């Protein structure tokens, strides 16, 4: 597809007044906006993707690492390349409801994820956190998950700010393979 690109603006029928901007389409974002893969209710049997992922192969589920209590998985709708989450196997919503073992392993896999992301992509920093409850921004509030978003100097540009578009340089399957290979052996 890229071999047809030029530096000259192309006539784009149906996009409004012709201007000097080329359009970068990200139709995969519409799936997220429309609620694809979101549970129909709060229970584990209500279509919770975090409950169904562990039954899939690592490749199909985008799982990078499986622990005893939690697993690391790529985010289907990432903010940056390499954006992953650490998720308990148990369907639990609130951080205070995690067991001591779940809390410890969640912390350990977070550390391992940072190590793998630094080794695989040279990440300069990270945003790490979880949104507790729908009002706090949790897309899937019924199943706790911690986000680990790698950051690089200058990675925020006009695309997300003005264009409301994320530009990701790699397919999720390739990112999963790269991080699985870079994951530290503990």
């Amino acid at each position: 597809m890229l071999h047809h690109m030029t530096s000259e603006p192309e006539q784009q029928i149906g996009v409004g007044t012709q201007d000097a901007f080329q359009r970068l389409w990200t139709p995969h974002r519409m799936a997220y906006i429309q609620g694809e893969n979101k549970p129909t209710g709060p229970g584990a049997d209500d279509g919770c993707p975090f409950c169904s992922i562990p039954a899939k192969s690592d490749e199909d589920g985008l799982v990078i690492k499986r622990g005893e209590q939690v697993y690391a998985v790529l985010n289907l709708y990432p903010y940056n390349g390499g954006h992953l989450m650490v998720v308990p196997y148990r369907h639990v919503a609130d951080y205070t409801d995690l067991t001591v073992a779940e809390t410890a392993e969640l912390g350990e896999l977070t550390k391992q994820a940072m190590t793998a992301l630094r080794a695989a992509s040279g990440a300069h920093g990270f945003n790490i956190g979880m949104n507790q409850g729908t009002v706090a921004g949790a897309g899937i509030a019924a199943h706790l998950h911690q986000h680990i978003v790698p950051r690089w100097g200058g990675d925020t540009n006009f695309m997300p700010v003005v264009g409301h578009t994320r530009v990701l340089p790699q397919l999720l399957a390739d990112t999963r393979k790269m991080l699985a290979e870079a994951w530290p052996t503990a």
Side-chain angles (χ1 to χ4, degrees):
M1 283 181 98
L2 294 177
H3 65 279
H4 294 297
M5 292 184 68
T6 68
S7 59
E8 298 298 317
E10 295 179 26
Q11 175 66 30
Q12 297 181 23
I13 307 300
V15 296
T17 306
Q18 183 177 356
D19 54 30
F21 291 102
Q22 292 190 18
R23 303 311 195 263
L24 178 62
W25 304 105
T26 56
H28 65 280
R29 293 292 300 162
M30 188 54 71
Y32 178 75
I33 292 166
Q34 293 177 334
E36 182 178 294
N37 296 321
K38 289 215 177 169
T40 57
D45 295 330
D46 292 330
C48 176
F50 298 134
C51 288
S52 64
I53 288 170
K56 299 177 180 180
S57 71
D58 288 354
E59 291 77 15
D60 290 342
L62 299 174
V63 174
I64 300 166
K65 175 70 176 177
R66 294 176 190 262
E68 291 181 27
Q69 306 292 322
V70 302
Y71 64 95
V73 61
L74 285 179
N75 190 323
L76 270 180
Y77 311 104
Y79 291 117
N80 259 351
H83 177 177
L84 58 92
M85 298 171 291
V86 179
V87 184
Y89 291 110
R90 189 167 63 95
H91 188 84
V92 58
D94 198 271
Y95 185 75
T96 62
D97 292 332
L98 290 176
T99 66
V100 171
E102 288 168 332
T103 304
E105 194 172 54
L106 186 135
E108 184 58 34
L109 258 65
T110 298
K111 288 170 45 177
Q112 292 176 10
M114 292 172 65
T115 300
L117 285 161
R118 281 189 182 117
S121 69
H124 298 149
F126 300 90
N127 292 119
I128 297 174
M130 58 181 78
N131 302 321
Q132 291 283 270
T134 304
V135 298
I140 300 175
H143 197 135
L144 175 142
H145 51 285
Q146 178 160 271
H147 294 266
I148 303 159
V149 182
R151 302 300 303 267
W152 298 268
D155 69 1
T156 300
N157 58 33
F158 73 94
M159 292 301 291
V161 176
V162 175
H164 301 285
T165 301
R166 304 279 181 201
V167 179
L168 301 169
Q170 190 174 49
L171 296 173
L172 288 174
D174 296 337
T175 303
R176 192 217 68 79
K177 184 176 187 289
M178 178 184 73
L179 288 174
E181 290 172 355
W183 203 271
T185 53

